[in-house]
């Protein structure tokens, strides 16, 4: 466990059983996939304002990378509770960044989504906004991030996942995402944001 401004609460690996997510497997010929076409069928619970994204690969390096990211909020406007489940991501990664962005699409991300009057950019691996994978590239965990924005404001923003750095200082640059999804309110399909 690691404690920083955004802290990892729990690391647990996805089992060898098939994922409950219905996210389609991406192939290099279909990349990039910008918007999922339907809501996931796995049970999502949370506050009425919570949002989720189905994650799709954006790169041939990890063509089968899939998963979900669900955002909820602690009571009284506290930290975002980010629950994620990812498969076929970079293996054995301890510094793979996750972030929420404004943008036109998953391949046209704009600014990191946070209130600069409330907080310094929390969407960095150093601040704890990261996913941690096992040797197979699978991950499931919950992290807390405070970005100063209301939960409802996250709808139609993009959640992007990044590769490990491995000496590449540009690996976590905004438009180098390896997977992405659009955040939609629980119970809605991606067409909500179109």
């Amino acid at each position: 466990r690691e404690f920083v401004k955004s802290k990892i609460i729990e690391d647990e690996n996805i089992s060898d059983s098939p994922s409950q997510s219905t996210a389609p497997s991406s192939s290099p010929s279909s990349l990039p996939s910008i918007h999922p076409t339907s809501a996931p069928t796995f049970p999502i619970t949370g506050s009425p304002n919570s949002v989720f994204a189905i994650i799709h690969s954006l790169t041939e390096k990890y063509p089968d990378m899939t998963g979900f990211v669900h955002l909820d909020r602690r009571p009284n406007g506290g930290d975002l509770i980010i629950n994620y489940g990812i498969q076929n991501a970079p293996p054995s990664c301890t510094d793979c960044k996750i972030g929420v962005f404004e943008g036109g699409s998953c391949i046209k991300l704009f600014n990191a989504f946070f209130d600069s009057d409330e907080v310094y950019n929390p969407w960095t691996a150093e601040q704890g906004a990261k996913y941690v994978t096992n040797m197979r590239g699978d991950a499931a965990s919950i992290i807390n991030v405070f970005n100063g924005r209301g939960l409802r404001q996250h709808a139609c923003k993009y959640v992007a996942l990044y590769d490990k750095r491995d000496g590449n200082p540009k690996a976590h640059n905004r438009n180098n995402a390896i997977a992405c999804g659009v955040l939609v309110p629980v119970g809605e399909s991606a067409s909500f944001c179109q």
Side-chain angles (χ1 to χ4, degrees), residues 2-7 94-98 120-130 165 169 172:
E2 184 175 330
F3 295 91
V4 290
K5 177 149 178 77
S6 306
K7 55 189 171 262
T94 59
D95 74 340
C96 286
K97 176 178 134 176
I98 185 170
Y120 181 73
N121 183 3
W123 301 115
T124 67
E126 295 79 14
Q127 293 292 324
K130 61 185 175 179
R165 284 208 173 118
H172 289 183

Side-chain angles (χ1 to χ4, degrees), residues 35-47:
H35 294 283
T37 57
S38 63
T41 58
F42 58 88
I44 295 180
T45 59
S47 71

Side-chain angles (χ1 to χ4, degrees), residues 167-181:
N168 179 359
K170 295 183 179 182
H172 289 183
N173 285 6
R174 177 183 63 224
N175 286 315
N176 288 339
I178 60 171
C180 182

